[in-house]
Amino acid sequence: MKEFQTVTVETDLLIVGGGMSACGAAVEAAYWAKQNGLKVTLVDKAAMDRSGAVAMGLSAINQYVDLKSGNNTVKNYVDYVRQDLMGITREDLVANIARHVDSSVHLFEKWGLPIWKDEEGNYVHEGRWQLMINGESYKVIVAEAAKNALGNDNIYERIFIVEPLMVDGKIAGAVGFSTREEKFYVFKAKSVLVGMGGAVHIFKPRSTGEGLGRAWYPPWNTGSSTYFTLQAGAEQTCQEVRFIPVRFKDGYGPVGAWFLLFKSRATNAMGGEYMVERRPELDNWVPYGKVKPIPANLRNYLGMLDTMEGKGPIFMRTEEAIQKIANEFADDEKGYKKKMKELESEAWEDFLDMTISQALLWASSNVQPEEKSSEIAAAEPYFIGSHSGASGCWVSGPEDIQTDETKGEYFWGYANMSTTPGLFCAGDASGASSHKFSSGSHAEGRIAAKGAIQYIVDNNTQLAVDDAQINELKDQLLKPLQIWEDNHAMSSDPDINPAYMRPKMFMFRLQKIMDEYAGGVSAQFTTNEAMLNKALELLAMLREDSEHLAAEDLHELMRVWENIHRLWQAEVHVRTLLFREETRWPGYYFRADMPKMDEENWLAFVNATWHKDTGEWEMTKRPVKYIFKD
Ligand code: SFD
Ligand code: AMP
């Protein structure tokens, strides 16, 4: 095998990832670094202009608190998030983001993002917290600002980060490889900020065959945040709180604009409205069943009950919603026609801005939303702590929001630092702070970057990484190429070979295990202790087999590591599902053997740490302490 060149980059702060949180981190870090004479470097597996979840663009900014208007307070937002997550949330983290998010949104506008305005020049809201945008180029605009702040020399694109560099339990950098050139990269840093997004394709997706790969969340977010932080010894939280979004079926188009802006109903095959007919079910989940808005998982659950009873498909009544709005202009023929055109174009733009495949599906299947309803369905589970899931790292909150009661539990020196010294997390990488979305992830990146620079100012030493560790990591990272080279000629079909497994097959096996035993689509999101134990047994065998993964080229080498990252995301999820002995988020998952919520024992965080030295998992219950509740 050809010798890969080793490229070493020394920096003060390393930002890993180039998505919303990393772009926020870049802007803020550059500002503080300049004042302190420090260097900031960013590394992304893709090209920042279109990397991460916002690659295709978005049609809304889902978190805008609008503090200046006086209509909302930070407490209002915290209440919304706590209720939506069935009581399990870190109020200090949510509040910290809520008080900073508006300024991120104002920056986006300053940088050129078109935000819808009404005739008086006010932002057009989709719902109480959401703003409508012309967001096709959202990511390009946000990335440009980050690039300007850091300078192109400090940005490394198309480098896949695999592992942390560790010295005596502290972070000292990261290693990875170029997806274009035969180069192994060693980044040595005094602090590392992780913003590598969430995880997709851990569970078998609904899309198969020609649609394979299509998912709601981006397939290129593969659990790297979880893997990297687990390997660095950082405590995880809420890894059971996966997110299942209800989406337009097969194209995964978003529903928010339809429910909130167009005020559409969703009805079943019999014309019944599950949100009305199933309302009594909400009594089983009090106090959260009684709050407004009804938590996302419970909204899902009511629809799922219809589907499981054979009352599907569920339809978004787009034609009815559009007609109802246009009817307000019934007395004015010209006004009516104009309004209809406006509504049609808004409906299409919602998808064209952020889920283009849904618009293609509408076009190719002759759907005109003003004439015909479209099916909606619960998607497969994703790991995304920035939306209505909560998985991610357990991080320190800000000092000034803590109470005497929370300070010892939720604060350890630097905002957004994980339990591993020097390792910071933001966006999907940080847990228990849901509903930050694109804007809140950007704001959280800024918060974390400021904390990280402060950490460097206080601990200004580059830990000495020994060469043996680096050489070992290099061998480990590149081994799949060697396995391929040594063995691929041994069989006539390169996909089938006794000496190796290719990453796609590995992914299928992982997805089958998760789908069947850990509550995926085929299992109707239901599992139990025996199934979860079976999943662990099969995942352990899959882990053994990961030693035999082979890669034909650099692209496939990335696929290998993406899938190893997915495997660890899967394992921490299953272990956490097992540990929590109740069902708290029906609509996300259901423990058939423990079908009720247990407020007395489980109004608590479930945290997990993997100890590299022993190979053991440690599961911990941490208290939920409220700061803002009346
Ligand atoms: O409505 C490595 N999101 C929405 N947010 C909104 O504010 N409004 C919306 O309208 C939203 N909708 C939506 C959303 C997402 C998607 C996919 C759709 C629709 C179709 C959510 C936000 O996008 C999300 O909350 C943030 O983007 C999260 O930010 P962050 O920074 O946590 O993740 P990222 O942006 O995906 O970036 C991840 C980065 O990591 C890189 N990366 N780099 C190096 N090595 C590795 N091993 C790496 N692995 C990953 C990626 O390249 C990327 O740069 S709605 O439907 O909900
Ligand atoms: P979505 O398009 O489903 O990601 O939703 C966008 C935003 O609207 C998120 O903040 C959701 O939590 C919120 N949302 C979506 N549907 C509803 C609904 N039926 N009721 C209240 N909030 C909703």
Side-chain angles (χ1 to χ4, degrees):
M1 202 175 74
K2 271 181 257 154
E3 191 50 43
F4 271 53
Q5 184 191 342
T6 298
V7 181
T8 304
V9 178
E10 296 196 8
T11 187
D12 292 305
L13 173 62
L14 178 68
I15 299 170
V16 193
M20 288 307 291
S21 59
C23 286
V27 170
E28 190 80 19
Y31 175 81
W32 297 108
K34 198 169 171 198
Q35 304 205 355
N36 292 285
L38 299 174
K39 181 178 169 185
V40 182
T41 303
L42 183 147
V43 54
D44 190 352
K45 77 187 267 194
M48 270 170 89
D49 278 350
R50 292 275 175 194
S51 69
V54 188
M56 268 194 280
L58 296 178
S59 58
I61 285 175
N62 281 349
Q63 187 184 6
Y64 182 66
V65 180
D66 198 8
L67 287 174
K68 220 164 107 193
S69 71
N71 295 331
N72 297 316
T73 61
V74 166
K75 179 182 182 308
N76 294 150
Y77 202 77
V78 173
D79 288 345
Y80 164 56
V81 178
R82 180 197 329 106
Q83 289 165 6
D84 202 73
L85 269 295
M86 308 292 279
I88 309 281
T89 201
R90 279 277 302 277
E91 296 194 349
D92 58 331
L93 299 176
V94 175
N96 202 17
I97 298 168
R99 66 180 171 173
H100 290 297
V101 70
D102 292 352
S103 63
S104 269
V105 174
H106 300 149
L107 282 173
F108 300 157
E109 190 172 31
K110 192 178 119 195
W111 295 332
L113 178 71
I115 304 181
W116 290 18
K117 299 263 176 64
D118 63 16
E119 275 148 19
E120 277 92 51
N122 300 314
Y123 291 149
V124 173
H125 278 254
E126 180 183 78
R128 180 172 179 187
W129 311 109
Q130 300 87 355
L131 301 180
M132 297 303 293
I133 57 173
N134 291 105
E136 186 280 337
S137 299
Y138 188 6
K139 184 66 203 302
V140 183
I141 291 165
V142 171
E144 184 182 45
K147 285 178 176 177
N148 287 343
L150 288 188
N152 282 342
D153 289 351
N154 294 316
I155 295 173
Y156 293 79
E157 295 183 314
R158 301 190 177 91
I159 311 291
F160 187 85
I161 291 298
V162 179
E163 297 275 346
L165 275 178
M166 301 298 297
V167 175
D168 299 333
K170 293 182 182 162
I171 194 82
V175 293
F177 56 90
S178 164
T179 59
R180 295 273 169 105
E181 301 169 298
E182 294 186 334
K183 287 182 181 169
F184 171 72
Y185 274 85
V186 180
F187 293 93
K188 294 183 179 170
K190 294 169 187 163
S191 172
V192 175
L193 194 159
V194 172
M196 287 186 280
V200 178
H201 287 325
I202 311 289
F203 281 84
K204 188 154 109 194
R206 282 188 185 272
S207 20
T208 54
E210 65 171 7
L212 185 69
R214 182 74 201 117
W216 167 68
Y217 216 50
W220 43 84
N221 281 359
T222 59
S224 295
S225 296
T226 297
Y227 177 84
F228 188 95
T229 53
L230 269 174
Q231 297 297 317
E235 191 167 319
Q236 308 290 312
T237 192
C238 297
Q239 286 288 358
E240 75 280 37
V241 196
R242 50 163 87 181
F243 177 44
I244 295 182
V246 163
R247 288 292 176 262
F248 280 82
K249 192 166 168 293
D250 299 329
Y252 295 86
V255 299
W258 284 99
F259 280 133
L260 301 180
L261 186 71
F262 294 115
K263 311 254 178 314
S264 177
R265 295 191 309 147
T267 55
N268 64 27
M270 288 83 191
E273 206 177 332
Y274 61 84
M275 290 304 292
V276 177
E277 292 175 354
R278 299 276 179 188
R279 201 159 271 273
E281 172 62 29
L282 297 174
D283 294 341
N284 295 328
W285 307 97
V286 283
Y288 315 108
K290 291 291 169 198
V291 300
K292 269 193 172 162
I294 298 165
N297 65 294
L298 291 179
R299 297 199 301 266
N300 283 1
Y301 189 53
L302 301 190
M304 283 174 188
L305 288 173
D306 266 15
T307 313
M308 288 190 278
E309 251 180 38
K311 291 184 172 171
I314 306 286
F315 292 104
M316 181 73 85
R317 301 294 301 274
T318 56
E319 79 301 353
E320 184 188 86
I322 288 182
Q323 201 58 58
K324 216 165 134 196
I325 302 173
N327 280 350
E328 288 165 24
F329 297 78
D331 298 339
D332 163 16
E333 196 184 334
K334 234 168 120 192
Y336 176 84
K337 277 192 179 151
K338 190 169 163 251
K339 191 67 193 171
M340 275 304 271
K341 273 265 153 285
E342 209 178 284
L343 290 166
E344 276 170 41
S345 77
E346 282 174 8
W348 283 90
E349 189 188 327
D350 186 42
F351 292 155
L352 288 169
D353 269 357
M354 75 172 160
T355 318
I356 299 153
S357 53
Q358 186 69 52
L360 293 175
L361 190 63
W362 266 3
S364 60
S365 49
N366 300 330
V367 173
Q368 288 175 297
E370 68 279 16
E371 286 177 6
K372 193 173 164 187
S373 306
S374 287
E375 260 185 76
I376 55 172
E380 58 279 356
Y382 305 111
F383 296 90
I384 157 168
S386 66
H387 203 289
S388 315
S391 51
C393 249
W394 182 245
V395 298
S396 171
E399 187 166 17
D400 64 320
I401 294 183
Q402 310 299 334
T403 62
D404 290 345
E405 242 195 289
T406 62
K407 199 162 180 176
E409 292 286 344
Y410 298 164
F411 173 72
W412 51 94
Y414 301 92
N416 279 70
M417 189 168 82
S418 70
T419 55
T420 298
L423 180 65
F424 290 73
C425 301
D428 288 331
S430 88
S433 50
S434 320
H435 291 277
K436 44 199 165 187
F437 304 100
S438 62
S439 45
S441 294
H442 190 271
E444 197 186 24
R446 289 168 49 210
I447 293 166
K450 191 173 173 191
I453 294 286
Q454 188 59 53
Y455 175 88
I456 297 170
V457 170
D458 296 346
N459 305 272
N460 205 348
T461 37
Q462 172 63 55
L463 301 167
V465 187
D466 107 55
D467 282 348
Q469 185 191 162
I470 289 174
N471 291 335
E472 202 179 303
L473 284 167
K474 185 175 179 182
D475 290 347
Q476 185 190 333
L477 259 62
L478 304 179
K479 191 173 116 188
L481 293 168
Q482 191 68 55
I483 294 180
W484 169 269
E485 196 154 303
D486 292 346
N487 298 291
H488 76 276
M490 278 165 52
S491 61
S492 52
D493 181 345
D495 281 345
I496 299 164
N497 192 301
Y500 63 72
M501 178 170 24
R502 299 189 82 164
K504 200 166 191 176
M505 299 302 158
F506 182 92
M507 184 182 78
F508 288 149
R509 203 166 124 195
L510 172 69
Q511 290 178 348
K512 185 169 158 62
I513 297 168
M514 296 303 285
D515 183 54
E516 292 177 351
Y517 297 109
V521 171
S522 317
Q524 298 197 333
F525 311 111
T526 302
T527 184
N528 61 36
E529 186 183 354
M531 283 183 164
L532 292 167
N533 279 323
K534 183 75 192 171
L536 283 182
E537 188 187 326
L538 294 173
L539 289 174
M541 290 183 203
L542 191 57
R543 173 122 69 104
E544 270 175 42
D545 288 347
S546 67
E547 292 294 319
H548 307 288
L549 277 160
E552 181 176 4
D553 52 26
L554 288 171
H555 186 71
E556 201 172 25
L557 186 63
M558 178 174 73
R559 293 282 180 258
V560 164
W561 283 106
E562 285 178 344
N563 283 298
I564 293 177
H565 290 184
R566 286 191 173 108
L567 172 70
W568 285 73
Q569 174 67 69
E571 182 166 348
V572 70
H573 179 53
V574 172
R575 287 186 184 277
T576 319
L577 291 177
L578 250 179
F579 192 79
R580 180 180 283 282
E581 295 179 335
E582 63 161 357
T583 293
R584 179 166 291 263
W585 297 275
Y588 289 170
Y589 75 89
F590 204 86
R591 278 279 305 251
D593 51 346
M594 291 169 184
K596 292 205 168 119
M597 189 167 71
D598 176 359
E599 281 284 86
E600 205 184 316
N601 294 302
W602 289 101
L603 184 63
F605 296 105
V606 172
N607 287 8
T609 313
W610 184 68
H611 297 286
K612 199 176 183 129
D613 47 352
T614 58
E616 297 288 316
W617 288 88
E618 183 185 340
M619 306 301 299
T620 331
K621 211 170 172 180
R622 299 239 179 255
V624 166
K625 290 183 188 264
Y626 295 138
I627 298 170
F628 289 85
K629 210 171 171 189
D630 307 318

